[in-house]
Amino acid sequence: MKKSGSLKRIITDFFDNTANYRLFAIAVLFCDIRYLLPYVFYSFVCAVLVWGGYLTVKKFFIGGRVKLMRYRILVYAFLAGTLVTALINIKSNFFQNLYYSCVLGVVFFLFYGIHAEKSAHRVKKEMTRLFDGLNFVTTFIMALGMLLLFIFPEGIRIGSCDFLIHENRFIGFIPNANVAAFYAVMAFVSCHLLYRLRKNLGTLSGRLRAYYIVCALINALAVFLTDSNDALLFMIVYFSFIAFFRVFRDFSLSRFYHFIFRLTATCLFAVIIAFSLVGTRTVTQNGVSLILTAGQSTSEISMGITGSRGGVAIKDDARLDDIPDTTVSKSQSDSSSTGKSDSSTAKSDNDTKEKTEQEQSKEVEYTSFKHENTNIDSGRFKLWRQGLTILERSPIFGTGKANIGTYGDLYLGKMKSSTLNGTRFIDFHNGLLTIAVCYGIVGFNIFVVLAMTVAKRMFKTIFRNQGKNRDTAVLVVLTAFCAAYTAYSMFEPTLLVDDTYRIFIFWLIIGFALSLTHKKSYVLRPDRMTLLERITARRQRGACSR
């Protein structure tokens, strides 16, 4: 009985731990196998949602943790809007829209709501362990993918999915180049974040510093080989924001020309960063392409020359099958036949040379790591126009995430989409536009107010709390990530409305950033608070006193 009781307690403690839940959910979404095994993937996602619903009810509503959530009124309003949208479109994909509402609830309460945890120090330790694991796994995957690329320069195909390389771009073990680029850039930022976190906690050693540098270099190389312009924009904005903070952190608006000078210096630095990253990417792609091409040529030469017979070198044993078994008499080998055979041999040699040159040119083009699609917008402008057309038809509460394809086909005849392994994926490659189409102007406005309020809080903290809190350096990295992610989401299916790793990790970082802006680390002056901040602060003080 004691053993069964202790086992039951262990299981209960495990499932009641929100840190275990976040780790499991991130692991499921990180191993995104919906392209290969969609039923298995969504079975795990449903388990994540059920577990998340249990924790939300027990920890936040019954346990009272929801009272410590910042700007929860806006969260309630947005979630209520998603339910209204699902009810309005009840005849079309109601349960799918309800599924996305549940996903958003988990995102807001258990990932964004991490700042409602009672111990900020425990949150830092949890984030350190989580990002250490993500950094190691991502770096290992990228390094292994680049190593296998030298062995299999044309990539590997399993079913209808390509691996290592797809459409002339490095993807590793992730079937999409832009997603692979985000994984790599996220690991790159994790190295910087872990450096600051461990330095803050006093656990940073020389070996760890070298390890983070190596991981950052490997993931930067992976970003360059994916040839993702969106990920490159992410890195440009990330470094530019850090430069902006360094320039303006001790700035006072006492003199206007000082502001103009610093702003000009920041813009110039951003331009230098942009050109440097673009140039580095081009040099890296050309260098790796030359190495792969040289390796292919060497392997082909070594495999082609197999031996010699009778003093004649034979490049390919397969050509021996073309030699007839019967011997040719001297009487049949007259001058005319000899001329014909010579002409046919010369013709075949020319054809072989042309085919070889074409194959080599294809191989060089295949391993150049450049976009095969020369269209600068990659079809995004058309998607944005389609999204605006759908928004005009359902402007107030939107269509719901699951109805984008249905209403798109209805209003536009045929909605532009992509299909992978029999599954249709539809998105507008713009986070704000996707929110507006899915949940209308009402949901869009609520989201914008929430985003601006959170951004204002984070900016006030990092610029008004210099030298007063050791968490400022960590918060600067998190704020730079959020700024870069916002720019990145203007061209990718990210920001909020989806069930992917890219969205969950973003809201986890926002929640972690807000945990560093609590009143113990930073207190806003009452005369500088907005009305919403005053109401929230008053309720938080009442919850803490109880």
Side-chain angles (χ1 to χ4, degrees):
M1 294 295 294
K2 291 183 178 180
K3 289 184 178 180
S4 61
S6 60
L7 180 61
K8 183 179 179 180
R9 186 175 60 184
I10 291 173
I11 295 174
T12 303
D13 292 341
F14 177 84
F15 284 102
D16 285 348
N17 193 328
T18 53
N20 294 337
Y21 172 79
R22 282 186 284 266
L23 178 62
F24 179 77
I26 290 293
V28 169
L29 297 172
F30 184 90
C31 303
D32 195 346
I33 58 174
R34 75 183 73 194
Y35 308 105
L36 294 174
L37 302 170
Y39 295 106
V40 175
F41 173 77
Y42 283 108
S43 297
F44 277 104
V45 171
C46 290
V48 167
L49 293 180
V50 172
W51 188 3
Y54 163 74
L55 287 176
T56 300
V57 173
K58 183 174 182 179
K59 296 290 184 180
F60 281 80
F61 290 100
I62 297 177
R65 193 176 294 180
V66 70
K67 296 179 181 179
L68 299 177
M69 272 186 63
R70 293 189 181 278
Y71 320 120
R72 62 183 179 275
I73 297 175
L74 295 174
V75 172
Y76 291 158
F78 187 84
L79 292 177
T82 64
L83 294 177
V84 171
T85 299
L87 290 173
I88 291 175
N89 301 278
I90 192 170
K91 295 182 179 180
S92 178
N93 299 318
F94 172 73
F95 290 104
Q96 289 90 328
N97 287 321
L98 193 62
Y99 162 80
Y100 283 107
S101 297
C102 295
V103 170
L104 291 175
V106 169
V107 167
F108 280 124
F109 287 110
L110 293 171
F111 287 82
Y112 167 80
I114 192 175
H115 65 272
E117 297 281 348
K118 296 181 180 179
S119 175
H121 184 72
R122 187 179 300 172
V123 171
K124 290 180 187 177
K125 286 189 173 183
E126 178 188 345
M127 293 296 98
T128 303
R129 291 192 299 268
L130 178 63
F131 286 109
D132 257 327
L134 289 175
N135 176 49
F136 174 78
V137 174
T138 306
T139 305
F140 176 77
I141 289 175
M142 296 300 168
L144 182 61
M146 287 185 282
L147 179 63
L148 291 177
L149 185 61
F150 286 92
I151 303 174
F152 305 101
E154 295 184 357
I156 301 173
R157 189 172 184 83
I158 301 176
S160 61
C161 297
D162 293 328
F163 294 96
L164 300 184
I165 195 164
H166 176 66
E167 294 181 351
N168 215 20
R169 301 165 66 187
F170 173 75
I171 59 173
F173 297 96
I174 302 164
N176 184 281
N178 290 327
V179 177
F182 179 82
Y183 276 54
V185 80
M186 184 65 230
F188 180 87
V189 174
S190 297
C191 293
H192 190 192
L193 178 61
L194 287 167
Y195 172 82
R196 291 297 184 185
L197 278 172
R198 290 199 173 276
K199 190 175 182 180
N200 191 352
L201 294 172
T203 59
L204 183 66
S205 62
R207 291 183 178 180
L208 279 176
R209 185 183 288 109
Y211 167 71
Y212 291 146
I213 292 173
V214 172
C215 291
L217 293 176
I218 291 174
N219 288 288
L221 177 60
V223 172
F224 294 149
L225 295 183
T226 57
D227 198 42
S228 173
N229 295 325
D230 304 328
L232 196 69
L233 174 66
F234 187 107
M235 297 182 72
I236 292 171
V237 177
Y238 180 78
F239 287 119
S240 299
F241 182 87
I242 293 177
F244 170 78
F245 171 77
R246 295 291 182 183
V247 171
F248 283 92
R249 60 179 176 177
D250 57 348
F251 177 70
S252 175
L253 289 175
S254 57
R255 296 182 180 180
F256 181 72
Y257 67 87
H258 284 172
F259 171 77
I260 296 298
F261 175 77
R262 296 194 183 198
L263 184 62
T264 305
T266 304
C267 295
L268 181 61
F269 190 77
V271 172
I272 293 173
I273 290 174
F275 278 100
S276 300
L277 288 176
V278 172
T280 304
R281 182 178 71 172
T282 302
V283 172
T284 302
Q285 290 174 346
N286 293 336
V288 176
S289 178
L290 288 174
I291 294 172
L292 285 178
T293 305
Q296 286 177 260
S297 301
T298 304
S299 62
E300 287 173 359
I301 292 173
S302 62
M303 293 294 292
I305 302 176
T306 58
S308 62
R309 299 184 183 181
V312 181
I314 301 173
K315 289 186 177 181
D316 192 354
D317 289 337
R319 296 187 63 180
L320 294 174
D321 298 335
D322 299 333
I323 301 175
D325 295 333
T326 60
T327 59
V328 181
S329 61
K330 291 182 180 180
S331 60
Q332 293 176 341
S333 57
D334 54 359
S335 59
S336 60
S337 63
T338 303
K340 290 181 180 179
S341 62
D342 291 339
S343 62
S344 62
T345 304
K347 187 177 180 180
S348 62
D349 290 340
N350 291 332
D351 294 340
T352 304
K353 288 181 180 179
E354 291 178 359
K355 290 180 180 179
T356 304
E357 291 176 358
Q358 291 177 359
E359 290 175 357
Q360 288 178 353
S361 63
K362 286 180 180 179
E363 286 175 357
V364 173
E365 183 182 359
Y366 189 77
T367 56
S368 62
F369 301 102
K370 298 290 185 182
H371 273 79
E372 290 183 354
N373 184 7
T374 57
N375 188 4
I376 189 172
D377 67 295
S378 298
R380 285 175 172 80
F381 292 162
K382 183 178 181 180
L383 285 171
W384 297 346
R385 288 193 296 269
Q386 290 180 343
L388 292 174
T389 302
I390 298 174
L391 180 60
E392 290 176 358
R393 300 296 184 93
S394 303
I396 306 301
F397 288 101
T399 64
K401 170 67 175 176
N403 289 329
I404 292 178
T406 303
Y407 284 86
D409 294 339
L410 178 64
Y411 299 146
L412 304 171
K414 182 64 176 178
M415 181 72 184
K416 180 179 173 61
S417 61
S418 59
T419 304
L420 186 60
N421 203 17
T423 304
R424 189 184 185 193
F425 295 95
I426 303 175
D427 202 280
F428 301 111
H429 282 261
N430 185 296
L432 291 177
L433 180 60
T434 302
I435 293 172
V437 172
C438 292
Y439 301 115
I441 301 301
V442 174
F444 177 80
N445 288 333
I446 296 172
F447 175 81
V448 170
V449 172
L450 175 63
M452 295 299 293
T453 307
V454 172
K456 180 182 177 182
R457 179 78 181 185
M458 294 168 66
F459 270 77
K460 281 185 176 181
T461 305
I462 62 175
F463 282 103
R464 292 187 181 181
N465 203 30
Q466 286 296 315
K468 299 178 182 178
N469 187 1
R470 61 182 183 178
D471 293 333
T472 303
V474 177
L475 188 57
V476 169
V477 176
L478 299 175
T479 308
F481 172 85
C482 294
Y485 187 95
T486 302
Y488 173 82
S489 67
M490 296 299 101
F491 305 95
E492 284 294 321
T494 53
L495 204 60
L496 183 60
V497 191
D498 214 341
D499 52 354
T500 61
Y501 164 75
R502 291 189 285 181
I503 291 175
F504 277 65
I505 199 70
F506 170 63
W507 287 95
L508 180 64
I509 287 180
I510 289 181
F512 181 34
L514 287 178
S515 71
L516 302 178
T517 64
H518 275 315
K519 63 179 183 179
K520 291 184 179 179
S521 59
Y522 173 69
V523 180
L524 285 173
R525 288 173 51 183
D527 58 335
R528 293 180 177 176
M529 286 185 180
T530 63
L531 178 61
L532 182 62
E533 287 173 339
R534 293 178 186 177
I535 295 173
T536 306
R538 189 180 300 114
R539 292 184 177 181
Q540 286 176 348
R541 286 195 297 270
C544 292
S545 62
R546 289 193 294 269

